[in-house]
Amino acid sequence: MKNSQTTFAIEVEDMTVAYREKPVLWDVDLLVPGGILQAIIGPNGAGKTTMIKAILGLVKPSAGRVLIYGKPYSQQRQLVAYVPQRGSVDWDFPTNVLDVVMMGRYGTLGWFRRPGKEDHQRAEEALAKVGMADFLKRQISQLSGGQQQRVFLARALVQDAMVYFMDEPFQGVDATTEKAIVSLLKELRAAGKTVLVVHHDLQTVTEYFDWVLLLNVRRIASGPVSEVFTEKNLRLAYGGKVAFLTHHTHQNAGAPTNV
Amino acid sequence: MTSAQFEIQLIAVVVAIACALPGVFLVLRRMAMMSDAISHSILLGIVLAFFLTRDLTSPFLVIAATLSGVLTVSLVELLNRTRLVREDTAIGLIFPVLFSIGVILISRYSGDIHLDTDSVLLGELAFAPFDRFIIFSRDFGPRALYLMGGIMFINIVLIIMFYKELKVATFDAGLAMALGFSPALIHYGLMSMVSITAVGAFDAVGSILVVALMIGPPASVYLLTDRLSLLLILSSLLGAAGSIMGYWVAHLLDASIAGSISSMIGLIFLAVYLFAPDRGLIAIARRRRRQRIEFALEMLLVHLFNHEGLPEAAIECHIANLPEHLYWELQFAQRVIRSGEKGNLLLNREEILFLTSTGRERAQKSILA
């Protein structure tokens, strides 16, 4: 991995974000190779969401540099798709499912141009992919939490990106939706895409992801799950608070570590 | 109908449409009170510009007023960003100050001119036809009609041009930013639109009516439709209809036109709030009642099913015992039973209830689910 020739999908250097004088992220470096699924984990207030938002320029970092496939993010916007937390928008907004998914095409369209037939078709395909083909005209206020999440994923899919940022896509969804999201993640990886996911559930990290970033304001560790998802690192990230979890994950992650 | 009456109504309709369009986005962005703030604080810009130009018809007044509207928005945001006060508090702090400075300046330095605080708050539509647009001694109609017609036209064009940008920035500002649209630019563009509209309208109709026309129609139509495009169109139509109705009410009562239109908009909202087919108060109450009875009926069917054919059935399934066993009022129990009989789910044989075969199936299904 220390090959200097490699262009990383995401390259973050010295990312520091502070709300007033209180640092939320402190000098975080992150290298993510292309074509992997990477989780960001850490306790509440560790800066996981802030990390994604700072990379995307949604919050202003005090310091730090972001490269997407070797170039600044502002030049590579077209390569990046973003799935915000479900609760970040008003689901009573007067519009339907198809329309929300179509918003993913707006970036490609740019100012003034309106979505056309092709965008329409792409949106329908993406909705079929997340199992929402029967909900095209459904008012968004009538969706369940899992359905809302799938609509957001479909919206990210039509962006045709190379790098996907997802903020807690598994938060509060049913088992069916969780499975659908996991198979979608694997499909994206198979197509050579890179996905960075803010994740909460330590139990599924080894099952769902290839790489993991352990974060608690500072970077604790980042790398392949088998190397860095260890009890020692978890203890560093979470403190003593997750003794029962570290015990559990130790059994899961312990075996591959000792190979 | 005299030509002056016709002109007044036409102006009111044009103002209503010009206001409803940006108003839709204010309502969707939960910034309704910003219309109140802007429509008041533009007074400061108008007064300051008047002192500089000494001309009430100067276009510089419109520019200065618009700037003071945008200034209000920025000051509110500046104050809000310190996190020491909330946004609604910030609005309540900023605009009275700016408005009051305008009022003080008027009362102190311009007692002899047409600018007075009453006309700012309530305007006077009835006088609008007297201010004519005259070129080479030819009369082209009331000036206010041209001013507001122009603003309405600009609002329509801008909203059509930036429809998708406004939509995405309103629904999901984070996505809009990630896609490369500047939500801040869209936000200030919209606030400028609100300011210009308020400036144009306030002379004719006053700031109270500006607020009523920006917020009332969109808030009403929001309860009636699920589509943004329809929300824009229907809000314009509803505002226009309310203006015409309000005008005739004023005519009948010999009262303030702006006041009557504002009240009419309020009454229209009340009617929609009560009678909207899906989201109205009455529709919701009805749905709740129906659901309560449906659920109670399901409970009753399961109750009958559980005791069917057992020795205690005659007691458990006796109507007189339902209030005690299910904790229901007898009246409510009877309503549930009637609904069950109507659906052919249960039979009443001398005050003892029996399941029909469909009722039995339904009960089994409920238990399994």
PDB file of all heavy atoms in Angstrom, chain A residues 57 73 77 90 92 94-95 99 106 110-114 139 155, chain B residues 28 30 82 160 164-165 167 171-172 177-179 181 222 226 228:
ATOM      1  N   GLY A  57     -16.741  19.751   1.612  1.00  0.00           N
ATOM      2  CA  GLY A  57     -16.818  21.202   1.663  1.00  0.00           C
ATOM      3  C   GLY A  57     -18.115  21.725   2.241  1.00  0.00           C
ATOM      4  O   GLY A  57     -18.449  22.890   2.079  1.00  0.00           O
ATOM      5  N   TYR A  73     -11.072  18.477  -4.794  1.00  0.00           N
ATOM      6  CA  TYR A  73     -12.476  18.080  -4.885  1.00  0.00           C
ATOM      7  C   TYR A  73     -13.269  18.989  -5.819  1.00  0.00           C
ATOM      8  O   TYR A  73     -14.120  18.533  -6.571  1.00  0.00           O
ATOM      9  CB  TYR A  73     -13.099  18.082  -3.484  1.00  0.00           C
ATOM     10  CG  TYR A  73     -14.590  17.987  -3.479  1.00  0.00           C
ATOM     11  CD1 TYR A  73     -15.223  16.819  -3.921  1.00  0.00           C
ATOM     12  CD2 TYR A  73     -15.384  19.047  -3.054  1.00  0.00           C
ATOM     13  CE1 TYR A  73     -16.590  16.729  -3.934  1.00  0.00           C
ATOM     14  CE2 TYR A  73     -16.754  18.966  -3.060  1.00  0.00           C
ATOM     15  CZ  TYR A  73     -17.361  17.802  -3.501  1.00  0.00           C
ATOM     16  OH  TYR A  73     -18.717  17.725  -3.524  1.00  0.00           O
ATOM     17  N   ARG A  77     -15.970  17.193  -8.634  1.00  0.00           N
ATOM     18  CA  ARG A  77     -17.338  17.072  -8.149  1.00  0.00           C
ATOM     19  C   ARG A  77     -18.144  15.982  -8.835  1.00  0.00           C
ATOM     20  O   ARG A  77     -18.908  15.262  -8.210  1.00  0.00           O
ATOM     21  CB  ARG A  77     -18.067  18.385  -8.372  1.00  0.00           C
ATOM     22  CG  ARG A  77     -18.278  19.181  -7.128  1.00  0.00           C
ATOM     23  CD  ARG A  77     -19.027  20.436  -7.476  1.00  0.00           C
ATOM     24  NE  ARG A  77     -18.373  21.609  -6.911  1.00  0.00           N
ATOM     25  CZ  ARG A  77     -18.408  21.919  -5.630  1.00  0.00           C
ATOM     26  NH1 ARG A  77     -19.059  21.153  -4.790  1.00  0.00           N
ATOM     27  NH2 ARG A  77     -17.792  22.986  -5.192  1.00  0.00           N
ATOM     28  N   ASP A  90     -36.518  17.634   4.870  1.00  0.00           N
ATOM     29  CA  ASP A  90     -37.922  17.696   5.255  1.00  0.00           C
ATOM     30  C   ASP A  90     -38.722  16.768   4.347  1.00  0.00           C
ATOM     31  O   ASP A  90     -38.936  17.058   3.177  1.00  0.00           O
ATOM     32  CB  ASP A  90     -38.393  19.155   5.084  1.00  0.00           C
ATOM     33  CG  ASP A  90     -39.883  19.298   5.287  1.00  0.00           C
ATOM     34  OD1 ASP A  90     -40.500  18.352   5.824  1.00  0.00           O
ATOM     35  OD2 ASP A  90     -40.429  20.341   4.905  1.00  0.00           O
ATOM     36  N   ASP A  92     -41.743  16.188   4.278  1.00  0.00           N
ATOM     37  CA  ASP A  92     -43.076  16.693   3.922  1.00  0.00           C
ATOM     38  C   ASP A  92     -43.011  17.591   2.693  1.00  0.00           C
ATOM     39  O   ASP A  92     -44.017  18.161   2.289  1.00  0.00           O
ATOM     40  CB  ASP A  92     -43.676  17.489   5.093  1.00  0.00           C
ATOM     41  CG  ASP A  92     -44.187  16.563   6.171  1.00  0.00           C
ATOM     42  OD1 ASP A  92     -44.640  15.456   5.818  1.00  0.00           O
ATOM     43  OD2 ASP A  92     -44.127  16.927   7.352  1.00  0.00           O
ATOM     44  N   PRO A  94     -43.306  18.955  -0.877  1.00  0.00           N
ATOM     45  CA  PRO A  94     -44.282  18.484  -1.867  1.00  0.00           C
ATOM     46  C   PRO A  94     -43.627  17.950  -3.136  1.00  0.00           C
ATOM     47  O   PRO A  94     -43.467  18.672  -4.113  1.00  0.00           O
ATOM     48  CB  PRO A  94     -45.113  19.742  -2.157  1.00  0.00           C
ATOM     49  CG  PRO A  94     -44.198  20.873  -1.867  1.00  0.00           C
ATOM     50  CD  PRO A  94     -43.300  20.423  -0.760  1.00  0.00           C
ATOM     51  N   THR A  95     -43.253  16.691  -3.108  1.00  0.00           N
ATOM     52  CA  THR A  95     -42.688  16.085  -4.312  1.00  0.00           C
ATOM     53  C   THR A  95     -42.789  14.568  -4.193  1.00  0.00           C
ATOM     54  O   THR A  95     -43.120  14.049  -3.139  1.00  0.00           O
ATOM     55  CB  THR A  95     -41.222  16.531  -4.503  1.00  0.00           C
ATOM     56  OG1 THR A  95     -40.789  16.126  -5.795  1.00  0.00           O
ATOM     57  CG2 THR A  95     -40.321  15.916  -3.458  1.00  0.00           C
ATOM     58  N   ASP A  99     -39.006  12.267  -8.493  1.00  0.00           N
ATOM     59  CA  ASP A  99     -38.465  13.614  -8.549  1.00  0.00           C
ATOM     60  C   ASP A  99     -37.225  13.762  -7.660  1.00  0.00           C
ATOM     61  O   ASP A  99     -36.242  14.406  -8.045  1.00  0.00           O
ATOM     62  CB  ASP A  99     -39.563  14.583  -8.098  1.00  0.00           C
ATOM     63  CG  ASP A  99     -39.364  15.960  -8.694  1.00  0.00           C
ATOM     64  OD1 ASP A  99     -38.874  16.028  -9.831  1.00  0.00           O
ATOM     65  OD2 ASP A  99     -39.690  16.938  -8.015  1.00  0.00           O
ATOM     66  N   TYR A 106     -29.038  16.510 -11.327  1.00  0.00           N
ATOM     67  CA  TYR A 106     -28.909  17.965 -11.486  1.00  0.00           C
ATOM     68  C   TYR A 106     -27.456  18.395 -11.650  1.00  0.00           C
ATOM     69  O   TYR A 106     -27.161  19.345 -12.360  1.00  0.00           O
ATOM     70  CB  TYR A 106     -29.515  18.704 -10.277  1.00  0.00           C
ATOM     71  CG  TYR A 106     -31.028  18.693 -10.209  1.00  0.00           C
ATOM     72  CD1 TYR A 106     -31.775  17.947 -11.111  1.00  0.00           C
ATOM     73  CD2 TYR A 106     -31.701  19.430  -9.244  1.00  0.00           C
ATOM     74  CE1 TYR A 106     -33.159  17.937 -11.033  1.00  0.00           C
ATOM     75  CE2 TYR A 106     -33.084  19.435  -9.163  1.00  0.00           C
ATOM     76  CZ  TYR A 106     -33.804  18.678 -10.056  1.00  0.00           C
ATOM     77  OH  TYR A 106     -35.172  18.676  -9.974  1.00  0.00           O
ATOM     78  N   GLY A 110     -26.131  20.767 -14.604  1.00  0.00           N
ATOM     79  CA  GLY A 110     -25.653  22.133 -14.384  1.00  0.00           C
ATOM     80  C   GLY A 110     -26.807  23.110 -14.300  1.00  0.00           C
ATOM     81  O   GLY A 110     -27.975  22.705 -14.263  1.00  0.00           O
ATOM     82  N   TRP A 111     -26.468  24.417 -14.268  1.00  0.00           N
ATOM     83  CA  TRP A 111     -27.505  25.438 -14.149  1.00  0.00           C
ATOM     84  C   TRP A 111     -28.407  25.430 -15.387  1.00  0.00           C
ATOM     85  O   TRP A 111     -27.990  25.068 -16.464  1.00  0.00           O
ATOM     86  CB  TRP A 111     -26.895  26.825 -13.992  1.00  0.00           C
ATOM     87  CG  TRP A 111     -26.169  27.021 -12.694  1.00  0.00           C
ATOM     88  CD1 TRP A 111     -24.871  26.664 -12.442  1.00  0.00           C
ATOM     89  CD2 TRP A 111     -26.672  27.592 -11.481  1.00  0.00           C
ATOM     90  NE1 TRP A 111     -24.550  26.985 -11.143  1.00  0.00           N
ATOM     91  CE2 TRP A 111     -25.624  27.563 -10.532  1.00  0.00           C
ATOM     92  CE3 TRP A 111     -27.912  28.135 -11.106  1.00  0.00           C
ATOM     93  CZ2 TRP A 111     -25.771  28.052  -9.240  1.00  0.00           C
ATOM     94  CZ3 TRP A 111     -28.052  28.629  -9.818  1.00  0.00           C
ATOM     95  CH2 TRP A 111     -26.994  28.580  -8.897  1.00  0.00           C
ATOM     96  N   PHE A 112     -29.618  25.846 -15.227  1.00  0.00           N
ATOM     97  CA  PHE A 112     -30.605  26.097 -16.288  1.00  0.00           C
ATOM     98  C   PHE A 112     -31.166  24.849 -16.966  1.00  0.00           C
ATOM     99  O   PHE A 112     -32.357  24.766 -17.186  1.00  0.00           O
ATOM    100  CB  PHE A 112     -30.051  27.029 -17.386  1.00  0.00           C
ATOM    101  CG  PHE A 112     -29.590  28.342 -16.851  1.00  0.00           C
ATOM    102  CD1 PHE A 112     -28.254  28.709 -16.934  1.00  0.00           C
ATOM    103  CD2 PHE A 112     -30.480  29.203 -16.235  1.00  0.00           C
ATOM    104  CE1 PHE A 112     -27.819  29.923 -16.426  1.00  0.00           C
ATOM    105  CE2 PHE A 112     -30.055  30.420 -15.730  1.00  0.00           C
ATOM    106  CZ  PHE A 112     -28.729  30.781 -15.825  1.00  0.00           C
ATOM    107  N   ARG A 113     -30.305  23.873 -17.328  1.00  0.00           N
ATOM    108  CA  ARG A 113     -30.847  22.750 -18.110  1.00  0.00           C
ATOM    109  C   ARG A 113     -31.783  21.901 -17.279  1.00  0.00           C
ATOM    110  O   ARG A 113     -31.566  21.670 -16.106  1.00  0.00           O
ATOM    111  CB  ARG A 113     -29.709  21.906 -18.675  1.00  0.00           C
ATOM    112  CG  ARG A 113     -29.466  22.255 -20.142  1.00  0.00           C
ATOM    113  CD  ARG A 113     -28.273  21.538 -20.703  1.00  0.00           C
ATOM    114  NE  ARG A 113     -28.333  20.098 -20.533  1.00  0.00           N
ATOM    115  CZ  ARG A 113     -27.237  19.350 -20.423  1.00  0.00           C
ATOM    116  NH1 ARG A 113     -26.063  19.910 -20.449  1.00  0.00           N
ATOM    117  NH2 ARG A 113     -27.345  18.048 -20.298  1.00  0.00           N
ATOM    118  N   ARG A 114     -32.840  21.429 -17.926  1.00  0.00           N
ATOM    119  CA  ARG A 114     -33.838  20.644 -17.213  1.00  0.00           C
ATOM    120  C   ARG A 114     -33.645  19.163 -17.466  1.00  0.00           C
ATOM    121  O   ARG A 114     -33.165  18.777 -18.516  1.00  0.00           O
ATOM    122  CB  ARG A 114     -35.228  21.047 -17.707  1.00  0.00           C
ATOM    123  CG  ARG A 114     -35.584  22.340 -17.140  1.00  0.00           C
ATOM    124  CD  ARG A 114     -36.809  22.921 -17.729  1.00  0.00           C
ATOM    125  NE  ARG A 114     -37.016  24.143 -16.968  1.00  0.00           N
ATOM    126  CZ  ARG A 114     -37.946  24.271 -16.037  1.00  0.00           C
ATOM    127  NH1 ARG A 114     -38.789  23.315 -15.802  1.00  0.00           N
ATOM    128  NH2 ARG A 114     -38.030  25.387 -15.357  1.00  0.00           N
ATOM    129  N   GLN A 139     -45.826   9.909  -2.979  1.00  0.00           N
ATOM    130  CA  GLN A 139     -45.480  11.137  -2.259  1.00  0.00           C
ATOM    131  C   GLN A 139     -44.433  10.802  -1.193  1.00  0.00           C
ATOM    132  O   GLN A 139     -44.579   9.804  -0.480  1.00  0.00           O
ATOM    133  CB  GLN A 139     -46.760  11.689  -1.639  1.00  0.00           C
ATOM    134  CG  GLN A 139     -46.575  12.830  -0.675  1.00  0.00           C
ATOM    135  CD  GLN A 139     -45.994  14.039  -1.365  1.00  0.00           C
ATOM    136  OE1 GLN A 139     -46.082  14.157  -2.566  1.00  0.00           O
ATOM    137  NE2 GLN A 139     -45.375  14.917  -0.601  1.00  0.00           N
ATOM    138  N   ARG A 155     -30.868   8.012  -5.515  1.00  0.00           N
ATOM    139  CA  ARG A 155     -30.458   9.343  -5.941  1.00  0.00           C
ATOM    140  C   ARG A 155     -28.947   9.414  -6.107  1.00  0.00           C
ATOM    141  O   ARG A 155     -28.427  10.051  -7.029  1.00  0.00           O
ATOM    142  CB  ARG A 155     -30.925  10.370  -4.905  1.00  0.00           C
ATOM    143  CG  ARG A 155     -30.755  11.800  -5.348  1.00  0.00           C
ATOM    144  CD  ARG A 155     -31.280  12.759  -4.332  1.00  0.00           C
ATOM    145  NE  ARG A 155     -30.418  12.826  -3.149  1.00  0.00           N
ATOM    146  CZ  ARG A 155     -30.606  13.672  -2.139  1.00  0.00           C
ATOM    147  NH1 ARG A 155     -31.640  14.481  -2.148  1.00  0.00           N
ATOM    148  NH2 ARG A 155     -29.797  13.682  -1.120  1.00  0.00           N
TER     149      ARG A 155
ATOM    150  N   LEU B  28     -41.939  26.823   2.419  1.00  0.00           N
ATOM    151  CA  LEU B  28     -41.252  25.531   2.373  1.00  0.00           C
ATOM    152  C   LEU B  28     -39.935  25.563   3.153  1.00  0.00           C
ATOM    153  O   LEU B  28     -39.517  24.561   3.713  1.00  0.00           O
ATOM    154  CB  LEU B  28     -40.971  25.112   0.934  1.00  0.00           C
ATOM    155  CG  LEU B  28     -42.198  24.704   0.118  1.00  0.00           C
ATOM    156  CD1 LEU B  28     -41.790  24.370  -1.307  1.00  0.00           C
ATOM    157  CD2 LEU B  28     -42.888  23.508   0.755  1.00  0.00           C
ATOM    158  N   ARG B  30     -39.483  27.247   5.801  1.00  0.00           N
ATOM    159  CA  ARG B  30     -39.830  27.625   7.176  1.00  0.00           C
ATOM    160  C   ARG B  30     -39.266  28.996   7.530  1.00  0.00           C
ATOM    161  O   ARG B  30     -38.648  29.188   8.574  1.00  0.00           O
ATOM    162  CB  ARG B  30     -39.305  26.585   8.156  1.00  0.00           C
ATOM    163  CG  ARG B  30     -39.897  25.257   7.812  1.00  0.00           C
ATOM    164  CD  ARG B  30     -39.361  24.142   8.594  1.00  0.00           C
ATOM    165  NE  ARG B  30     -39.998  22.924   8.082  1.00  0.00           N
ATOM    166  CZ  ARG B  30     -40.017  21.784   8.710  1.00  0.00           C
ATOM    167  NH1 ARG B  30     -39.458  21.690   9.867  1.00  0.00           N
ATOM    168  NH2 ARG B  30     -40.602  20.752   8.195  1.00  0.00           N
ATOM    169  N   THR B  82     -24.063  33.278  15.824  1.00  0.00           N
ATOM    170  CA  THR B  82     -23.348  33.322  17.096  1.00  0.00           C
ATOM    171  C   THR B  82     -23.887  32.277  18.061  1.00  0.00           C
ATOM    172  O   THR B  82     -23.289  32.005  19.089  1.00  0.00           O
ATOM    173  CB  THR B  82     -23.495  34.695  17.767  1.00  0.00           C
ATOM    174  OG1 THR B  82     -24.881  34.884  18.074  1.00  0.00           O
ATOM    175  CG2 THR B  82     -23.030  35.816  16.873  1.00  0.00           C
ATOM    176  N   ILE B 160     -39.209  30.076 -13.169  1.00  0.00           N
ATOM    177  CA  ILE B 160     -39.153  29.073 -14.236  1.00  0.00           C
ATOM    178  C   ILE B 160     -37.695  28.746 -14.569  1.00  0.00           C
ATOM    179  O   ILE B 160     -37.321  27.582 -14.704  1.00  0.00           O
ATOM    180  CB  ILE B 160     -39.909  29.568 -15.492  1.00  0.00           C
ATOM    181  CG1 ILE B 160     -41.410  29.598 -15.209  1.00  0.00           C
ATOM    182  CG2 ILE B 160     -39.611  28.662 -16.690  1.00  0.00           C
ATOM    183  CD1 ILE B 160     -42.250  30.186 -16.318  1.00  0.00           C
ATOM    184  N   LYS B 164     -35.382  24.141 -10.925  1.00  0.00           N
ATOM    185  CA  LYS B 164     -34.732  22.950 -10.371  1.00  0.00           C
ATOM    186  C   LYS B 164     -33.713  23.327  -9.292  1.00  0.00           C
ATOM    187  O   LYS B 164     -33.599  22.640  -8.288  1.00  0.00           O
ATOM    188  CB  LYS B 164     -34.147  22.123 -11.508  1.00  0.00           C
ATOM    189  CG  LYS B 164     -32.674  22.171 -11.735  1.00  0.00           C
ATOM    190  CD  LYS B 164     -32.307  21.225 -12.858  1.00  0.00           C
ATOM    191  CE  LYS B 164     -30.826  21.297 -13.194  1.00  0.00           C
ATOM    192  NZ  LYS B 164     -30.378  22.575 -13.717  1.00  0.00           N
ATOM    193  N   GLU B 165     -33.038  24.467  -9.469  1.00  0.00           N
ATOM    194  CA  GLU B 165     -32.069  24.906  -8.461  1.00  0.00           C
ATOM    195  C   GLU B 165     -32.779  25.282  -7.160  1.00  0.00           C
ATOM    196  O   GLU B 165     -32.343  24.908  -6.073  1.00  0.00           O
ATOM    197  CB  GLU B 165     -31.269  26.102  -8.987  1.00  0.00           C
ATOM    198  CG  GLU B 165     -30.249  25.747 -10.076  1.00  0.00           C
ATOM    199  CD  GLU B 165     -30.872  25.566 -11.449  1.00  0.00           C
ATOM    200  OE1 GLU B 165     -32.081  25.861 -11.597  1.00  0.00           O
ATOM    201  OE2 GLU B 165     -30.171  25.121 -12.375  1.00  0.00           O
ATOM    202  N   LYS B 167     -35.619  24.178  -6.182  1.00  0.00           N
ATOM    203  CA  LYS B 167     -36.194  22.970  -5.603  1.00  0.00           C
ATOM    204  C   LYS B 167     -35.146  22.198  -4.810  1.00  0.00           C
ATOM    205  O   LYS B 167     -35.365  21.860  -3.644  1.00  0.00           O
ATOM    206  CB  LYS B 167     -36.787  22.095  -6.708  1.00  0.00           C
ATOM    207  CG  LYS B 167     -37.459  20.858  -6.180  1.00  0.00           C
ATOM    208  CD  LYS B 167     -38.436  20.267  -7.168  1.00  0.00           C
ATOM    209  CE  LYS B 167     -37.729  19.678  -8.358  1.00  0.00           C
ATOM    210  NZ  LYS B 167     -38.671  19.064  -9.296  1.00  0.00           N
ATOM    211  N   PHE B 171     -35.112  21.639  -0.781  1.00  0.00           N
ATOM    212  CA  PHE B 171     -35.331  20.303  -0.229  1.00  0.00           C
ATOM    213  C   PHE B 171     -34.087  19.793   0.497  1.00  0.00           C
ATOM    214  O   PHE B 171     -34.185  19.234   1.581  1.00  0.00           O
ATOM    215  CB  PHE B 171     -35.717  19.331  -1.351  1.00  0.00           C
ATOM    216  CG  PHE B 171     -35.838  17.902  -0.901  1.00  0.00           C
ATOM    217  CD1 PHE B 171     -36.800  17.534   0.024  1.00  0.00           C
ATOM    218  CD2 PHE B 171     -34.983  16.925  -1.393  1.00  0.00           C
ATOM    219  CE1 PHE B 171     -36.914  16.218   0.449  1.00  0.00           C
ATOM    220  CE2 PHE B 171     -35.083  15.614  -0.976  1.00  0.00           C
ATOM    221  CZ  PHE B 171     -36.053  15.262  -0.060  1.00  0.00           C
ATOM    222  N   ASP B 172     -32.919  19.970  -0.099  1.00  0.00           N
ATOM    223  CA  ASP B 172     -31.712  19.379   0.459  1.00  0.00           C
ATOM    224  C   ASP B 172     -30.515  20.268   0.137  1.00  0.00           C
ATOM    225  O   ASP B 172     -29.825  20.072  -0.867  1.00  0.00           O
ATOM    226  CB  ASP B 172     -31.530  17.970  -0.132  1.00  0.00           C
ATOM    227  CG  ASP B 172     -30.431  17.192   0.561  1.00  0.00           C
ATOM    228  OD1 ASP B 172     -29.625  17.805   1.269  1.00  0.00           O
ATOM    229  OD2 ASP B 172     -30.377  15.962   0.387  1.00  0.00           O
ATOM    230  N   MET B 177     -25.284  21.819  -2.508  1.00  0.00           N
ATOM    231  CA  MET B 177     -23.915  22.283  -2.389  1.00  0.00           C
ATOM    232  C   MET B 177     -22.956  21.241  -2.954  1.00  0.00           C
ATOM    233  O   MET B 177     -22.038  21.574  -3.706  1.00  0.00           O
ATOM    234  CB  MET B 177     -23.599  22.527  -0.917  1.00  0.00           C
ATOM    235  CG  MET B 177     -22.393  23.365  -0.703  1.00  0.00           C
ATOM    236  SD  MET B 177     -22.558  24.159   0.891  1.00  0.00           S
ATOM    237  CE  MET B 177     -20.890  24.671   1.145  1.00  0.00           C
ATOM    238  N   ALA B 178     -23.170  19.971  -2.611  1.00  0.00           N
ATOM    239  CA  ALA B 178     -22.287  18.916  -3.102  1.00  0.00           C
ATOM    240  C   ALA B 178     -22.351  18.815  -4.625  1.00  0.00           C
ATOM    241  O   ALA B 178     -21.391  18.423  -5.269  1.00  0.00           O
ATOM    242  CB  ALA B 178     -22.659  17.579  -2.462  1.00  0.00           C
ATOM    243  N   LEU B 179     -23.506  19.162  -5.208  1.00  0.00           N
ATOM    244  CA  LEU B 179     -23.648  19.085  -6.664  1.00  0.00           C
ATOM    245  C   LEU B 179     -23.035  20.297  -7.358  1.00  0.00           C
ATOM    246  O   LEU B 179     -22.966  20.348  -8.576  1.00  0.00           O
ATOM    247  CB  LEU B 179     -25.129  18.997  -7.054  1.00  0.00           C
ATOM    248  CG  LEU B 179     -25.858  17.699  -6.722  1.00  0.00           C
ATOM    249  CD1 LEU B 179     -27.324  17.814  -7.074  1.00  0.00           C
ATOM    250  CD2 LEU B 179     -25.239  16.518  -7.444  1.00  0.00           C
ATOM    251  N   PHE B 181     -24.139  23.542  -6.885  1.00  0.00           N
ATOM    252  CA  PHE B 181     -24.987  24.734  -6.877  1.00  0.00           C
ATOM    253  C   PHE B 181     -24.721  25.449  -5.555  1.00  0.00           C
ATOM    254  O   PHE B 181     -24.559  24.792  -4.529  1.00  0.00           O
ATOM    255  CB  PHE B 181     -26.469  24.358  -6.940  1.00  0.00           C
ATOM    256  CG  PHE B 181     -26.812  23.551  -8.146  1.00  0.00           C
ATOM    257  CD1 PHE B 181     -27.069  22.197  -8.041  1.00  0.00           C
ATOM    258  CD2 PHE B 181     -26.867  24.129  -9.402  1.00  0.00           C
ATOM    259  CE1 PHE B 181     -27.377  21.437  -9.159  1.00  0.00           C
ATOM    260  CE2 PHE B 181     -27.165  23.382 -10.517  1.00  0.00           C
ATOM    261  CZ  PHE B 181     -27.417  22.035 -10.394  1.00  0.00           C
ATOM    262  N   TYR B 222     -50.628  24.260   0.444  1.00  0.00           N
ATOM    263  CA  TYR B 222     -49.746  23.201   0.954  1.00  0.00           C
ATOM    264  C   TYR B 222     -50.575  22.040   1.506  1.00  0.00           C
ATOM    265  O   TYR B 222     -50.158  20.893   1.469  1.00  0.00           O
ATOM    266  CB  TYR B 222     -48.852  23.802   2.041  1.00  0.00           C
ATOM    267  CG  TYR B 222     -47.797  22.876   2.592  1.00  0.00           C
ATOM    268  CD1 TYR B 222     -46.718  22.487   1.815  1.00  0.00           C
ATOM    269  CD2 TYR B 222     -47.897  22.387   3.883  1.00  0.00           C
ATOM    270  CE1 TYR B 222     -45.753  21.636   2.316  1.00  0.00           C
ATOM    271  CE2 TYR B 222     -46.935  21.539   4.396  1.00  0.00           C
ATOM    272  CZ  TYR B 222     -45.862  21.165   3.605  1.00  0.00           C
ATOM    273  OH  TYR B 222     -44.909  20.326   4.111  1.00  0.00           O
ATOM    274  N   ASP B 226     -49.547  17.906  -3.456  1.00  0.00           N
ATOM    275  CA  ASP B 226     -48.277  17.260  -3.176  1.00  0.00           C
ATOM    276  C   ASP B 226     -47.236  17.585  -4.230  1.00  0.00           C
ATOM    277  O   ASP B 226     -46.228  16.911  -4.333  1.00  0.00           O
ATOM    278  CB  ASP B 226     -48.463  15.729  -3.152  1.00  0.00           C
ATOM    279  CG  ASP B 226     -49.154  15.283  -1.888  1.00  0.00           C
ATOM    280  OD1 ASP B 226     -49.109  16.034  -0.910  1.00  0.00           O
ATOM    281  OD2 ASP B 226     -49.742  14.194  -1.897  1.00  0.00           O
ATOM    282  N   LEU B 228     -44.858  20.549  -6.197  1.00  0.00           N
ATOM    283  CA  LEU B 228     -44.322  21.897  -6.089  1.00  0.00           C
ATOM    284  C   LEU B 228     -44.873  22.807  -7.185  1.00  0.00           C
ATOM    285  O   LEU B 228     -45.252  23.950  -6.925  1.00  0.00           O
ATOM    286  CB  LEU B 228     -42.791  21.849  -6.147  1.00  0.00           C
ATOM    287  CG  LEU B 228     -42.079  23.193  -6.048  1.00  0.00           C
ATOM    288  CD1 LEU B 228     -42.464  23.917  -4.777  1.00  0.00           C
ATOM    289  CD2 LEU B 228     -40.573  23.002  -6.118  1.00  0.00           C
TER     290      LEU B 228
END
